[in-house]
Amino acid sequence: MNILILSCNTGEGHNSCARAISEELERKGDWGYIADGLAFLSTGTSKFVSGWHTRLYRYFPRLYGKGYEYAEKHPMNIKKHTAAYRMIRRGARRLRKAIKAGGYDGVICTHLFPAMLVTGLVKKGNVTIPACFVATDYTASPGCEKVGLPTITPHPDLTEEFQAVGIPAENILAYGIPVRSMFTEKTDKAEAKRKAGLDPVRLHMVIMGGSMGCGPMEDVLAEIAEGMPENIELTVICGTNRQTAEKLRRRHGENPRVHIRGYVKDMSLMLDSADLYLTKAGGISTTEAAIKGVPLVLADAVGGCESRNLEFFVEHGAAVTAKTEELGRLCVNLLEDRRKLDAMAQAIERLRMEGAAEKICDYMRQRAGK
């Protein structure tokens, strides 16, 4: 079975989800080709949109959040005969040709934009192979109402929300969000700490601001590091944000219990070693934590769909949150409260949706008659 997986380079989450599905296809002897959905408009458009998305997300998170709120209240309506409409039509034609030329058995979209393109092609009868959309946030994001494909949702508790935007119940499949296969492997916590170069006796807290190193890491780390209890070690993961990593190394480099890391390849091991995980509320980050059973402290750093993710995990007792200036003290208090930490670990394990990639691939295989 050959599957076209359409993602977008607007944040690492969509691509990570696409890779998880591709890994599962290959594991079963099938093949998944990942393509950038925006590139069907043009390579320049993809670079422009992705570049500005990264800038807004990293440097102007509140503005990014306001844009999301506006999109929630004002559904997208691209009028005919406009330049944007003509560009999207050209992109849809290119996508149709690529699907036909590739001889694919199905299409999986891990981003709303290609899901909307494929929806249009399916409605017109230009694409007749099975197709589906994988939602990578714990909410029905703006634009979901325009997707007419079977929709993979993160959790059964979100079914009503997706129905409320017009997706029929029979088109909603609560399989979860696919994560890379490495996160399904489990290492004993003490052993994981030793492999990560940590003291297995101490409590370990991981701080990460997503693949782009966003969020209030500097302020929170400064608060925690000042007078940090002896039984705690911290690892701060800055992702691709080298500027922040260097700044933190200059400030905390002499503290042997504070470890500043850049991009970390083995996040699975890092989460296995963690007793508490402070991060922004990205759909993939929170899902990886749920698979690993690690309690969360979530920073409302960006807004938009991440605020909805935060609300979901807090409401289910799997995470806590606070204002930026209070996050450091909250983390220390949690690490000193074993009962609360254990209750949160149990709550997040109840949210675990394992085998999402396998379920999606099996579903597509069934629909494709393979």
Side-chain angles (χ1 to χ4, degrees):
M1 181 173 70
N2 295 335
I3 298 292
L4 174 62
I5 307 171
L6 295 171
S7 182
C8 280
N9 296 323
T10 51
E12 186 57 22
H14 307 290
N15 289 334
S16 178
C17 179
R19 285 195 294 272
I21 295 169
S22 178
E23 281 181 356
E24 179 59 26
L25 286 167
E26 291 178 13
R27 190 180 73 82
K28 293 193 172 184
D30 296 319
W31 183 70
Y33 175 72
I34 301 173
D36 174 15
L38 282 169
F40 289 98
L41 301 184
S42 74
T43 304
T45 299
S46 177
K47 290 181 178 178
F48 178 82
V49 173
S50 301
W52 272 105
H53 177 276
T54 300
R55 292 185 188 95
L56 287 172
Y57 194 89
R58 180 181 285 178
Y59 301 113
F60 307 101
R62 295 301 170 190
L63 181 60
Y64 179 92
K66 291 293 183 184
Y68 184 94
E69 291 175 9
Y70 180 87
E72 282 185 313
K73 297 174 183 177
H74 303 82
M76 190 189 319
N77 184 22
I78 300 175
K79 296 181 179 180
K80 291 185 177 182
H81 310 302
T82 62
Y85 182 81
R86 290 193 296 272
M87 179 181 290
I88 290 172
R89 284 197 65 182
R90 286 197 297 271
R93 286 197 295 268
R94 294 187 186 110
L95 176 57
R96 182 192 65 198
K97 291 178 181 178
I99 292 172
K100 185 176 181 180
Y104 298 106
D105 298 300
V107 182
I108 299 174
C109 304
T110 64
H111 189 282
L112 268 168
F113 176 72
M116 288 188 281
L117 282 185
V118 174
T119 293
L121 293 173
V122 169
K123 285 182 177 179
K124 292 179 180 178
N126 293 323
V127 168
T128 56
I129 57 175
C132 70
F133 164 58
V134 182
T136 56
D137 287 295
Y138 289 78
T139 185
S141 301
C144 278
E145 71 280 356
K146 295 188 178 297
V147 176
L149 308 175
T151 298
I152 316 299
T153 63
H155 196 273
D157 289 358
L158 295 165
T159 297
E160 289 186 4
E161 181 178 339
F162 279 85
Q163 283 183 283
V165 301
I167 301 175
E170 62 272 19
N171 265 12
I172 297 175
L173 306 167
Y175 291 163
I177 298 176
V179 298
R180 303 285 299 278
S181 58
M182 70 170 73
F183 291 98
T184 64
E185 300 168 0
K186 186 75 173 177
T187 302
D188 174 75
K189 191 176 294 292
E191 179 63 19
K193 288 178 180 179
R194 278 190 285 268
K195 287 183 176 180
L198 304 165
D199 185 338
V201 177
R202 287 191 176 119
L203 293 171
H204 180 217
M205 178 177 171
V206 175
I207 302 176
M208 185 171 116
S211 64
M212 291 185 281
C214 305
M217 290 189 296
E218 296 178 48
D219 296 336
V220 174
L221 177 57
E223 185 177 353
I224 298 175
E226 186 178 344
M228 184 170 64
E230 284 292 329
N231 68 328
I232 296 175
E233 284 194 72
L234 294 178
T235 297
V236 184
I237 301 171
C238 301
T240 57
N241 197 331
R242 296 179 181 177
Q243 184 178 0
T244 296
E246 288 304 314
K247 187 184 296 184
L248 293 180
R249 288 191 183 104
R250 288 195 299 269
R251 188 168 181 178
H252 301 280
E254 295 182 0
N255 190 332
R257 290 185 290 118
V258 175
H259 315 282
I260 310 300
R261 305 280 294 273
Y263 186 82
V264 173
K265 289 184 178 179
D266 197 350
M267 269 304 296
S268 176
L269 180 70
M270 190 59 62
L271 289 183
D272 282 333
S273 73
D275 296 283
L276 186 63
Y277 185 26
L278 168 62
T279 184
K280 66 183 190 62
I284 301 300
S285 299
T286 50
T287 302
E288 290 168 352
I291 294 293
K292 291 293 189 179
V294 184
L296 287 164
V297 176
L298 294 175
D300 194 6
V302 179
C305 55
E306 295 198 358
S307 291
R308 308 295 177 264
N309 296 337
L310 182 150
E311 290 165 4
F312 181 86
F313 278 83
V314 170
E315 286 171 3
H316 284 77
V320 293
T321 189
K323 296 178 181 178
T324 299
E325 61 271 18
E326 299 170 357
L327 282 173
R329 176 43 50 190
L330 175 62
C331 293
V332 173
N333 288 343
L334 271 177
L335 288 167
E336 294 177 334
D337 188 344
R338 190 76 249 181
R339 182 180 297 179
K340 174 68 173 175
L341 213 54
D342 288 344
M344 290 175 62
Q346 291 171 11
I348 201 166
E349 285 188 4
R350 288 193 291 270
L351 293 179
R352 181 186 298 166
M353 297 287 290
E354 294 184 293
E358 183 177 10
K359 291 173 185 175
I360 292 168
C361 293
D362 288 346
Y363 169 76
M364 292 297 289
R365 187 175 293 105
Q366 183 180 16
R367 289 192 63 205
K370 297 291 182 179

